Amino acid sequence: MSKSPNFIAAALLACALVAPALAQQKADARGGPRYHIGRAPTADEIRGWDIDVRPDGQGLPEGKGTVAQGEKLFMDNCSTCHGEFGEGNGRWPVLAGGKGSLTSDNPVKTVGSYWPYASTVFDYVRHAMPYGNAESFSVDEYYALVAYVLYLNDVVTDQNFELTNKNLATLKMPNEQGFVMDDRATSERSFWQKDPCMKDCIAPVKITGRAAVIDVTPEDGKDGKPRGVE
């Protein structure tokens, strides 16, 4: 190896130039892959997206709205798809009715029969509705809209009822006790393997019918009304 002053100086310079890059790679490795695009969001930007509401009501914004106020909003913005009384229009979802149908062979999955917590109705409606124009209402308008949907499902029965961030989580949905926790971590534990099968694990699948041929669309009720209408 050469010991000339010029060679040693060149080697030290090369190390000085490479060291920052190596340090950056090491830092990136600790935090996972980084692609050096975009920027970190600001606190205000995160706050704009952080609007989830939990079953216990955590996350509900301050606000209020009555059933009567919600009825007008529903008629103007929702009834085209869901019907004036939540009965559904065409193939758009039915929102009301169907109580007690979950134990039948043809359950109706409405807010009143298939929703465990009232607070998460607010979460879903604000995130997703009106269809195609989500989050376009004020917080008070969303409270009013949810109040009317709950009224359609007899969760509240007074047209003057005012839904607020204080009382929403206290409302009990009809089927709250009809749900069970996911127990697959224990009930299916015996099926889990450290080294799962990755090739030729099951026999070839044989298709015996197709949805286009099998009648999988729920039928209307015997009285001719769409299912869910009471």
Side-chain angles (χ1 to χ4, degrees):
M1 176 183 292
S2 173
K3 295 184 179 179
S4 70
N6 290 340
F7 177 82
I8 294 174
L12 292 174
L13 177 61
C15 290
L17 293 174
V18 171
L22 292 176
Q24 182 63 43
Q25 289 178 6
K26 189 175 181 180
D28 290 351
R30 287 197 299 268
R34 295 183 63 181
Y35 303 102
H36 302 286
I37 58 176
R39 60 172 173 77
T42 66
D44 284 341
E45 289 170 340
I46 293 176
R47 193 175 300 112
W49 286 95
D50 186 17
I51 61 173
D52 62 295
V53 177
R54 301 182 184 183
D56 62 359
Q58 182 176 340
L60 281 170
E62 291 189 10
K64 59 184 179 182
T66 67
V67 171
Q69 292 167 337
E71 180 177 8
K72 184 177 187 313
L73 287 167
F74 191 92
M75 295 305 165
D76 293 342
N77 299 274
C78 313
S79 61
T80 300
C81 298
H82 297 297
E84 296 183 0
F85 303 102
E87 73 273 23
N89 192 6
R91 291 185 176 273
W92 293 98
V94 178
L95 299 182
K99 289 181 183 178
S101 67
L102 294 185
T103 56
S104 70
D105 60 353
N106 205 11
V108 181
K109 297 179 179 180
T110 65
V111 172
S113 75
Y114 200 68
W115 208 287
Y117 305 107
S119 58
T120 56
V121 178
F122 182 94
D123 179 82
Y124 176 78
V125 172
R126 185 165 62 149
H127 270 102
M129 297 293 147
Y131 182 69
N133 197 21
E135 299 184 39
S136 60
F137 290 167
S138 69
V139 169
D140 284 352
E141 287 174 327
Y142 276 113
Y143 274 107
L145 195 59
V146 171
Y148 182 66
V149 173
L150 296 176
Y151 178 78
L152 291 176
N153 285 278
D154 297 326
V155 177
V156 297
T157 56
D158 183 354
Q159 284 187 316
N160 297 316
F161 177 81
E162 184 178 74
L163 190 67
T164 74
N165 57 300
K166 301 294 184 184
N167 63 18
L168 178 50
T170 67
L171 300 177
K172 297 297 182 184
M173 301 299 285
N175 196 39
E176 180 177 340
Q177 301 303 319
F179 293 81
V180 296
M181 295 297 291
D182 185 347
D183 66 347
R184 285 175 291 180
T186 54
S187 63
E188 299 183 4
R189 188 178 182 82
S190 60
F191 296 102
W192 299 358
Q193 302 177 39
K194 182 180 179 181
D195 299 314
C197 177
M198 301 298 290
K199 183 180 180 181
D200 300 330
C201 302
I202 61 175
V205 174
K206 182 180 180 181
I207 299 175
T208 59
R210 298 180 183 278
V213 177
I214 301 173
D215 183 11
V216 295
T217 303
E219 302 291 347
D220 289 346
K222 295 180 180 179
D223 56 359
K225 293 182 179 179
R227 293 169 60 247
V229 177
E230 295 177 338

